[in-house]
Amino acid sequence: MNILEMKDQMCDICHKMWQLGWVASNDGNVSARLEDGIFLVTPTGISKSLITPEKLLIITKDCEIIEGTPGYKPSSEIKMHLRCYQDRDDVGAVVHAHPPAATAFAVAHLPMDRYTTIESVITIGAVPLTPYGTPSTDEIPEAIAPYLPEHDVLLLENHGALALGRDILTAYYRMETLELSAKISIYAHILGGEKEISRENIDRLCRMRADYKVWGKHPGYKHYRKDE
């Protein structure tokens, strides 16, 4: 995919995030790794509904702007994106958003670690809740770092969610899976509670990742809630 196609795809993902209600106002950010250690990123201070290719920025790992419309600058939250790229050579894109159902888990201080649907077990597994961090500081990059070796999707305490992918579309799909799983979990709770898939079948589903050639990391069978 060339840079023009990548810019179009990033804009499309931004528009989808806004249409789905995952971001409001100037919330959320998307980035992608380019060649030679540079990155395509969304600018700060603009709604994802209004993102167009010429508003996107190309920056270095030190946040120096190489290309972009004058007046636009990267989000201060780009630090957590850069930490993902630093710690994971396989990551090609990062999506940060505030999808309501998943963010409700983050606000309730609950990891999404119930193995209840086949698709979520295969794709993302248990999703941990990372410690609170103040935006624009190094606290969030430090908070997510311990979880990056095993996870492609993270909940950010009292903040939102982060999804990693080999490309922009994969990262976006991870966020979609997270939000749908969160909604299903909430509905199941209303109906009397979640019922997990058996451990034997969870292990079988995890092994199927290789057959399906699923990209990324997976924690295997793991629970994070204190009652486990």
Side-chain angles (χ1 to χ4, degrees):
M1 181 180 293
N2 63 44
I3 186 63
L4 295 179
E5 292 171 329
M6 188 176 291
K7 286 182 176 182
D8 284 341
Q9 187 177 68
M10 184 172 286
C11 290
D12 184 48
I13 294 304
C14 287
H15 300 160
K16 282 183 168 62
M17 288 166 54
W18 180 80
Q19 289 165 352
L20 289 166
W22 293 359
V23 290
S25 185
N26 304 326
D27 295 347
N29 26 77
V30 182
S31 68
R33 193 200 303 260
L34 305 177
E35 296 179 354
D36 302 321
I38 57 177
F39 305 91
L40 179 68
V41 304
T42 52
T44 190
I46 182 172
S47 168
K48 298 302 163 290
S49 67
L50 302 176
I51 292 289
T52 54
E54 65 273 10
K55 294 173 183 173
L56 299 175
L57 306 172
I58 295 179
I59 65 169
T60 68
K61 62 182 178 61
D62 298 316
C63 293
E64 177 187 351
I65 298 174
I66 297 174
E67 177 184 309
T69 301
Y72 289 104
K73 60 182 181 179
S75 167
S76 60
E77 292 187 324
I78 196 63
K79 292 179 180 179
M80 66 179 169
H81 293 242
L82 295 174
R83 186 57 179 263
C84 295
Y85 297 122
Q86 174 186 310
D87 291 4
R88 291 272 302 273
D89 291 338
D90 59 327
V91 171
V94 177
V95 170
H96 167 54
H98 306 156
T103 302
F105 276 83
V107 169
H109 292 192
L110 290 173
M112 288 176 55
D113 58 355
R114 296 298 189 261
Y115 290 77
T116 53
T117 64
I118 291 170
E119 292 78 6
S120 65
V121 171
I122 293 175
T123 307
I124 59 178
V127 180
L129 176 72
T130 64
Y132 179 82
T134 303
S136 81
T137 70
D138 291 326
E139 293 173 8
I140 296 179
E142 291 300 318
I144 67 173
Y147 301 93
L148 292 175
E150 289 189 333
H151 296 275
D152 296 336
V153 182
L154 305 172
L155 292 176
L156 310 176
E157 186 176 294
N158 290 96
H159 187 165
L162 192 69
L164 287 58
R166 64 184 167 198
D167 50 39
I168 300 170
L169 203 55
T170 303
Y172 169 76
Y173 285 157
R174 291 289 189 271
M175 191 71 78
E176 271 196 341
T177 298
L178 175 73
E179 179 64 357
L180 180 60
S181 297
K183 289 179 180 178
I184 291 171
S185 293
I186 292 169
Y187 295 154
H189 181 75
I190 293 170
L191 294 173
E194 300 166 276
K195 303 297 187 290
E196 286 198 291
I197 298 169
S198 70
R199 175 62 188 274
E200 178 185 359
N201 282 316
I202 291 170
D203 291 341
R204 289 177 64 192
L205 290 170
C206 289
R207 290 194 296 270
M208 290 172 66
R209 284 174 55 87
D211 297 331
Y212 290 141
K213 295 181 172 56
V214 178
W215 174 90
K217 305 297 183 180
H218 194 284
Y221 183 78
K222 186 171 288 189
H223 281 139
Y224 291 100
R225 298 190 197 185
K226 294 179 181 179
D227 59 347
E228 296 297 335

